[in-house]
Coordinates of all heavy atoms in Angstrom, one line a residue:
L249 N -1.8 -12.1 -4.7 CA -2.4 -13.3 -5.3 C -3.2 -14.1 -4.4 O -4.3 -14.7 -4.7 CB -1.3 -14.2 -5.9 CG -0.6 -13.6 -7.1 CD1 0.6 -14.5 -7.5 CD2 -1.5 -13.6 -8.4
E250 N -2.8 -14.2 -3.1 CA -3.6 -14.9 -2.1 C -4.9 -14.1 -1.8 O -6.0 -14.7 -1.7 CB -2.8 -15.1 -0.8 CG -1.6 -16.0 -1.0 CD -0.7 -16.0 0.2 OE1 -0.9 -15.2 1.1 OE2 0.2 -16.8 0.2
N251 N -4.9 -12.8 -1.8 CA -6.1 -12.0 -1.6 C -7.1 -12.2 -2.7 O -8.3 -12.2 -2.4 CB -5.7 -10.5 -1.6 CG -4.8 -10.1 -0.4 OD1 -4.9 -10.8 0.7 ND2 -4.0 -9.1 -0.6
L252 N -6.6 -12.4 -3.9 CA -7.5 -12.5 -5.1 C -8.5 -13.8 -4.9 O -9.5 -13.8 -5.6 CB -6.8 -12.6 -6.3 CG -5.9 -11.4 -6.7 CD1 -5.3 -11.7 -8.1 CD2 -6.7 -10.1 -6.7
N253 N -8.2 -14.6 -4.0 CA -9.1 -15.8 -3.8 C -10.4 -15.4 -3.2 O -11.3 -16.1 -3.2 CB -8.4 -16.8 -2.9 CG -7.1 -17.5 -3.6 OD1 -7.2 -17.7 -4.8 ND2 -6.2 -17.8 -2.9
S254 N -10.5 -14.2 -2.7 CA -11.8 -13.7 -2.2 C -12.8 -13.3 -3.3 O -14.0 -13.2 -3.0 CB -11.6 -12.5 -1.2 OG -11.2 -11.3 -1.9
G255 N -12.3 -13.2 -4.5 CA -13.1 -13.0 -5.6 C -13.8 -11.6 -5.6 O -14.8 -11.4 -6.3
C256 N -13.2 -10.6 -4.9 CA -13.8 -9.3 -4.9 C -13.5 -8.6 -6.3 O -12.7 -9.0 -7.1 CB -13.3 -8.5 -3.7 SG -14.0 -9.1 -2.2
D257 N -14.2 -7.4 -6.4 CA -14.0 -6.6 -7.6 C -12.9 -5.7 -7.5 O -12.2 -5.4 -8.5 CB -15.3 -5.8 -7.9 CG -16.5 -6.7 -8.0 OD1 -16.5 -7.6 -8.9 OD2 -17.5 -6.4 -7.3
V258 N -12.6 -5.1 -6.3 CA -11.5 -4.2 -6.1 C -10.8 -4.5 -4.8 O -11.4 -4.8 -3.8 CB -12.0 -2.7 -6.1 CG1 -10.9 -1.7 -5.9 CG2 -12.9 -2.4 -7.2
Y259 N -9.5 -4.3 -4.9 CA -8.6 -4.5 -3.6 C -7.9 -3.2 -3.4 O -7.3 -2.7 -4.4 CB -7.7 -5.6 -3.8 CG -8.4 -7.0 -4.0 CD1 -8.9 -7.3 -5.3 CD2 -8.5 -7.9 -3.0 CE1 -9.6 -8.5 -5.4 CE2 -9.1 -9.1 -3.2 CZ -9.7 -9.4 -4.4 OH -10.3 -10.6 -4.6
L260 N -8.0 -2.7 -2.2 CA -7.3 -1.4 -1.9 C -6.4 -1.6 -0.8 O -6.8 -1.9 0.4 CB -8.4 -0.3 -1.6 CG -8.0 1.2 -1.6 CD1 -9.1 2.0 -2.0 CD2 -7.3 1.6 -0.4
C261 N -5.1 -1.3 -1.0 CA -4.1 -1.6 0.0 C -3.5 -0.3 0.6 O -3.6 0.7 0.0 CB -3.0 -2.5 -0.5 SG -2.0 -1.8 -1.8
G262 N -2.8 -0.5 1.7 CA -2.1 0.6 2.3 C -0.8 0.9 1.7 O -0.3 0.1 0.8
M263 N -0.1 2.0 2.1 CA 1.2 2.3 1.6 C 2.0 3.1 2.7 O 1.5 3.7 3.6 CB 1.1 3.2 0.3 CG 0.6 4.6 0.7 SD 0.0 5.5 -0.8 CE -1.6 4.8 -1.0
T264 N 3.4 3.1 2.5 CA 4.3 3.8 3.3 C 4.8 5.0 2.5 O 5.4 4.8 1.5 CB 5.4 2.9 3.7 OG1 4.8 1.7 4.4 CG2 6.3 3.6 4.7
L265 N 4.7 6.2 3.1 CA 5.3 7.4 2.5 C 6.7 7.5 2.7 O 7.2 7.3 3.8 CB 4.6 8.6 3.1 CG 3.0 8.6 3.0 CD1 2.4 9.9 3.6 CD2 2.6 8.5 1.5
C266 N 7.4 8.0 1.7 CA 8.8 8.2 1.7 C 9.2 9.5 1.0 O 8.4 10.1 0.4 CB 9.6 7.0 0.8 SG 9.2 5.4 1.6
T267 N 10.5 9.9 1.3 CA 10.9 11.2 0.6 C 11.3 10.8 -0.8 O 11.2 9.7 -1.3 CB 12.2 11.7 1.3 OG1 13.2 10.6 1.2 CG2 11.9 11.9 2.9
L268 N 11.7 11.8 -1.5 CA 12.1 11.6 -2.9 C 13.2 10.6 -3.0 O 13.3 9.8 -4.0 CB 12.6 13.0 -3.5 CG 12.9 13.0 -5.0 CD1 11.6 12.7 -5.8 CD2 13.5 14.3 -5.4
D269 N 14.1 10.6 -2.0 CA 15.2 9.6 -2.1 C 14.9 8.4 -1.3 O 15.9 7.6 -0.9 CB 16.6 10.3 -1.6 CG 16.5 10.8 -0.2 OD1 15.4 10.7 0.4 OD2 17.6 11.2 0.3
M270 N 13.6 8.1 -1.1 CA 13.1 6.9 -0.5 C 13.5 6.7 1.0 O 13.6 5.6 1.4 CB 13.5 5.6 -1.3 CG 12.9 5.7 -2.7 SD 11.1 5.9 -2.8 CE 10.5 4.4 -2.1
Q271 N 13.7 7.8 1.7 CA 13.7 7.6 3.2 C 12.4 7.6 3.8 O 11.5 8.3 3.4 CB 14.6 8.8 3.8 CG 16.0 8.9 3.3 CD 16.8 7.6 3.7 OE1 16.7 7.2 4.9 NE2 17.5 7.0 2.8
L272 N 12.2 6.7 4.7 CA 10.8 6.5 5.3 C 10.3 7.8 6.0 O 11.0 8.4 6.8 CB 10.8 5.4 6.2 CG 10.9 4.0 5.6 CD1 11.3 2.9 6.6 CD2 9.6 3.6 4.9
L273 N 9.0 8.0 5.8 CA 8.4 9.1 6.5 C 7.4 8.6 7.5 O 7.5 8.8 8.7 CB 7.8 10.1 5.5 CG 8.7 10.9 4.6 CD1 7.9 11.7 3.6 CD2 9.5 11.9 5.5
A274 N 6.2 8.0 7.0 CA 5.1 7.6 7.8 C 4.2 6.6 7.0 O 4.3 6.6 5.8 CB 4.4 8.8 8.3
E275 N 3.4 6.0 7.8 CA 2.3 5.1 7.1 C 1.3 6.2 6.6 O 0.9 7.0 7.4 CB 1.8 4.1 8.0 CG 2.7 3.1 8.5 CD 3.4 2.3 7.2 OE1 2.5 1.8 6.4 OE2 4.7 2.3 7.2
H276 N 0.7 6.0 5.3 CA -0.3 6.9 4.9 C -1.6 6.6 5.5 O -2.0 5.4 5.7 CB -0.4 6.7 3.4 CG -1.4 7.4 2.7 ND1 -1.5 8.9 2.8 CD2 -2.5 7.1 2.0 CE1 -2.5 9.3 2.2 NE2 -3.2 8.3 1.6
R277 N -2.3 7.6 5.9 CA -3.6 7.5 6.5 C -4.7 7.3 5.3 O -4.8 8.1 4.5 CB -4.0 8.7 7.3 CG -3.0 9.0 8.5 CD -3.2 10.4 9.0 NE -4.4 10.7 9.6 CZ -5.4 11.5 9.2 NH1 -5.1 12.3 8.1 NH2 -6.4 11.7 9.9

């Protein structure tokens, strides 16, 4: 919501990869 104040058209964020049972693997490139 704070990001939306920039008034851009699209926001693209990062994510963290996990296994099927949600154990952490790595940050997605």
Side-chain angles (χ1 to χ4, degrees):
L249 288 170
E250 292 170 356
N251 294 329
L252 298 183
N253 291 328
S254 68
C256 288
D257 302 305
V258 182
Y259 298 80
L260 196 154
C261 67
M263 71 195 78
T264 303
L265 302 178
C266 300
T267 62
L268 185 64
D269 61 355
M270 297 306 289
Q271 294 299 311
L272 286 164
L273 293 173
E275 297 303 307
H276 177 56
R277 297 165 68 243

